[in-house]
Amino acid sequence: MADLRPPEHQVAGHRSSEDNLGPLVDDAGLFYKPLQAGNRGERELAFYTAFSAHPAVPPRIRDAFFPCFHGTRLIPTAASPGEPYPHIVLEDILAGIAAPCVADIKIGACTWPPRAPEPYVAKCLAKDRETTSALLGFRVSGVRIAGHGGAVWLPERSELKGIDTAGVRRVLRRYVSSCGSDGTDCALAAAVYGGDGGVLAQLRELKAWFEEQTLFHFYSASILMGYDANAVSAPGGGVRVKLVDFAHVDEGEGVIDHNFLGGLCSLIKFIADIVAEASEMASSGP
Amino acid sequence: MADLRPPEHQVAGHRSSEDNLGPLVDDAGLFYKPLQAGNRGERELAFYTAFSAHPAVPPRIRDAFFPCFHGTRLIPTAASPGEPYPHIVLEDILAGIAAPCVADIKIGACTWPPRAPEPYVAKCLAKDRETTSALLGFRVSGVRIAGHGGAVWLPERSELKGIDTAGVRRVLRRYVSSCGSDGTDCALAAAVYGGDGGVLAQLRELKAWFEEQTLFHFYSASILMGYDANAVSAPGGGVRVKLVDFAHVDEGEGVIDHNFLGGLCSLIKFIADIVAEASEMASSGP
């Protein structure tokens, strides 16, 4: 356990410190997520337990789009001295990435389950309307962009909270721009968003599943996109698209997750627009 | 104007009477919708005006899925004596149907535009949560089913308001069942929902447009499905799928209508399930 440390690439959620519980990673490629307070941790654990064994989940979907689940472990932490704290053990989906570029995008116009209690609904609804969730069907919860020269852009959460539609478009362009271009050249759009193993192809595969699956409704879950700025041109580019954060997953009860699906389609359109634009720029360039 | 009369097939909205303004139809196949009070009528008229001339709307989509717009007309009505009232003049999308089976399905988990004023939001949100809108992404606002023997099933609106997921499934099955079967045989599912010109194929074509179009956001609009119970087996079956009710349409501003699209995908899944089930029943039947 000596090699446990806070993940370098964390862009949303609580960070681990002496005073705060937060996620940890190890050298074996595992990610330790402290059980969240209230019933959130229990619910997230219940989701992982149900999901990882569910016979109706296609193995390809589970493997491609969800972190692998390895049960729970009690871990001594500085924030809970003398009393080991329960953690959900998951695959570290960004393990092995030297220069991680990560975006955490919370999907869905509505982040509260329909049967949630009233004060929680009011709080979430206010946030969904203040951020881009209600308007776009998603919001950027966190982003970390590592450039080739070692420069890192890691905007404050307060900065991300205030962005509008144009701001979201800028972040999604900057995510695939070379760092010398002040974040606008979209030089990596074809490699990261486009192509067979790119973000767009992966999001479309996920969408096809969401058009059919009626098992789970993923309120307040995020899509985490990641790639290695040092290995973009490698085969496959190491582009990863995973769902994370399952503290508010409901049973689907035979109904599709129209809220997640709608937001996912909106994100797909934003990214497809950037790919198309970058492809036009490339073909009309010098 | 002597042939103006309230439409036989109206299943949602205000009905025309001596005291109330309501839609009228004529023998020429036109539908006259009184301008709604407040700014709703103006907004609906503004939508039809913009939409009918918009160069980015594919003609096939406009012709297939929207009532043709014929401007406005002042009409003397019993409810506004001495003062002709302005009506939006539209194609009567159910003209020529002898035994109309009609369902009005309000699409979208959220029926209020994001920038709507607070009391309106609260009112709509409460209704979206009381009905199936929030959970299913749509609700059945009205239904009228004419059987072969002349029997008509026209449930009260209060009855429809209270239905849950199972109730929605029952209504959508009854909509394509023969009347002798107490509404459960789905004998017409293949003819009405399935096939090349059926409801499902039409909804899927509409969906493809909603995955791309960023012109309009259709809050609180409905999909009206209609067919003629006396002519189901005719080629094409006269199955119609149209969007109606545009008093709360917003400009899309480059973003897809994820709220409508999500609800549409949910409705598609409900109907696809009924088609699949009916097809299984047929192939395993006597």
Side-chain angles (χ1 to χ4, degrees):
Chain A
M1 312 277 253
D3 62 343
L4 287 176
R5 59 186 184 277
E8 197 189 351
H9 53 67
Q10 190 185 350
V11 296
H14 302 287
R15 285 172 216 241
S16 180
S17 72
E18 292 220 349
D19 300 321
N20 283 306
L21 280 166
L24 300 165
V25 293
D26 67 16
D27 288 334
L30 294 178
F31 182 94
Y32 301 83
K33 181 171 183 174
L35 222 59
Q36 291 179 75
N39 59 1
R40 293 184 191 196
E42 295 302 335
R43 290 192 66 162
E44 182 154 40
L45 179 56
F47 168 76
Y48 272 115
T49 306
F51 180 82
S52 64
H54 204 298
V57 175
R60 159 75 197 164
I61 291 293
R62 186 158 37 216
D63 296 348
F65 297 113
F66 290 80
C68 191
F69 172 58
H70 298 282
T72 58
R73 198 187 297 179
L74 289 168
I75 299 176
T77 65
S80 65
E83 198 180 356
Y85 195 89
H87 289 62
I88 299 177
V89 187
L90 302 166
E91 169 195 8
D92 178 6
I93 56 188
L94 297 170
I97 293 191
C101 293
V102 186
D104 180 300
I105 301 175
K106 197 184 277 282
I107 306 291
C110 164
T111 58
W112 42 275
R115 297 182 193 94
E118 207 43 59
Y120 183 75
V121 169
K123 191 183 121 188
C124 292
L125 181 63
K127 202 159 174 186
D128 295 344
R129 297 179 72 191
E130 281 158 21
T131 63
T132 63
S133 290
L135 203 56
L136 306 190
F138 66 88
R139 64 180 181 246
V140 179
S141 289
V143 65
R144 177 194 196 278
I145 302 179
H148 291 270
V152 168
W153 182 57
L154 185 68
E156 291 291 318
R157 279 173 221 171
S158 56
E159 193 181 332
L160 284 174
K161 265 183 196 165
I163 66 175
D164 59 5
T165 305
V168 167
R169 234 179 265 280
R170 270 195 304 274
V171 169
L172 291 175
R173 290 169 59 91
R174 184 161 178 175
Y175 183 72
V176 291
S177 290
S178 55
C179 56
S181 78
D182 76 11
T184 58
D185 67 1
C186 295
L188 312 176
V192 173
Y193 287 157
D196 282 351
V199 168
L200 201 48
Q202 293 193 52
L203 292 179
R204 285 181 173 143
E205 187 182 352
L206 190 60
K207 168 180 171 254
W209 184 58
F210 269 91
E211 287 174 346
E212 293 296 327
Q213 77 89 8
T214 61
L215 306 169
F216 301 103
H217 288 186
F218 294 89
Y219 292 99
S220 206
S222 286
I223 285 177
L224 199 77
M225 317 192 284
Y227 71 95
D228 189 341
N230 292 353
V232 181
S233 49
V239 175
R240 301 166 197 197
V241 170
K242 299 273 183 180
L243 263 70
V244 296
D245 294 341
F246 306 118
H248 302 282
V249 175
D250 259 11
E251 287 191 26
E253 297 175 356
V255 178
I256 68 162
D257 188 352
H258 52 83
N259 176 61
F260 190 99
L261 176 58
L264 176 57
C265 290
S266 178
L267 177 63
I268 285 172
K269 182 70 166 88
F270 270 75
I271 291 181
D273 283 352
I274 295 172
V275 171
E277 200 187 307
S279 148
E280 268 173 44
M281 274 163 59
S283 64
S284 68
Chain B
M1 312 278 252
D3 62 344
L4 287 176
R5 60 187 183 276
E8 196 190 351
H9 53 67
Q10 189 187 350
V11 295
H14 303 286
R15 284 172 216 239
S16 180
S17 71
E18 291 221 348
D19 302 320
N20 283 306
L21 280 165
L24 301 166
V25 293
D26 67 14
D27 288 334
L30 295 176
F31 182 93
Y32 302 82
K33 180 169 182 175
L35 222 59
Q36 289 179 77
N39 59 2
R40 292 185 189 195
E42 296 301 335
R43 291 193 65 161
E44 181 155 43
L45 179 56
F47 167 76
Y48 272 114
T49 306
F51 181 82
S52 64
H54 203 299
V57 174
R60 158 77 197 163
I61 292 292
R62 186 157 39 215
D63 296 348
F65 296 114
F66 289 81
C68 191
F69 172 58
H70 296 282
T72 58
R73 198 188 296 180
L74 290 168
I75 299 176
T77 65
S80 64
E83 200 180 356
Y85 195 87
H87 288 62
I88 299 177
V89 187
L90 302 165
E91 169 195 6
D92 178 4
I93 56 190
L94 297 170
I97 293 191
C101 293
V102 186
D104 180 302
I105 301 175
K106 195 183 280 284
I107 306 291
C110 161
T111 58
W112 40 276
R115 297 181 193 97
E118 207 43 60
Y120 183 75
V121 169
K123 192 183 121 187
C124 292
L125 182 64
K127 203 160 172 184
D128 295 345
R129 296 179 72 191
E130 281 160 20
T131 63
T132 63
S133 291
L135 202 57
L136 307 190
F138 67 89
R139 63 180 182 246
V140 179
S141 290
V143 65
R144 178 195 195 278
I145 300 178
H148 291 267
V152 169
W153 182 56
L154 184 68
E156 290 293 317
R157 279 173 222 171
S158 56
E159 193 182 331
L160 285 175
K161 265 182 197 164
I163 65 175
D164 59 4
T165 304
V168 167
R169 233 178 265 281
R170 269 196 304 274
V171 169
L172 291 174
R173 291 169 58 92
R174 183 158 178 178
Y175 183 71
V176 292
S177 290
S178 55
C179 57
S181 79
D182 75 12
T184 59
D185 67 1
C186 295
L188 311 176
V192 173
Y193 287 156
D196 283 348
V199 167
L200 200 49
Q202 293 192 53
L203 292 179
R204 285 181 173 145
E205 186 181 354
L206 190 61
K207 166 177 172 258
W209 183 59
F210 269 90
E211 286 174 346
E212 292 297 326
Q213 77 89 9
T214 61
L215 307 169
F216 301 103
H217 288 186
F218 294 90
Y219 292 99
S220 205
S222 286
I223 286 177
L224 199 77
M225 316 192 286
Y227 71 94
D228 188 341
N230 291 353
V232 182
S233 49
V239 175
R240 301 166 198 197
V241 170
K242 300 274 182 178
L243 265 70
V244 296
D245 294 344
F246 305 119
H248 303 282
V249 176
D250 261 10
E251 287 191 24
E253 298 174 355
V255 178
I256 68 163
D257 188 351
H258 52 83
N259 177 62
F260 190 99
L261 177 58
L264 177 57
C265 290
S266 177
L267 177 62
I268 285 172
K269 182 70 165 88
F270 270 75
I271 291 179
D273 284 352
I274 294 171
V275 171
E277 199 187 308
S279 147
E280 268 172 44
M281 272 162 60
S283 66
S284 68

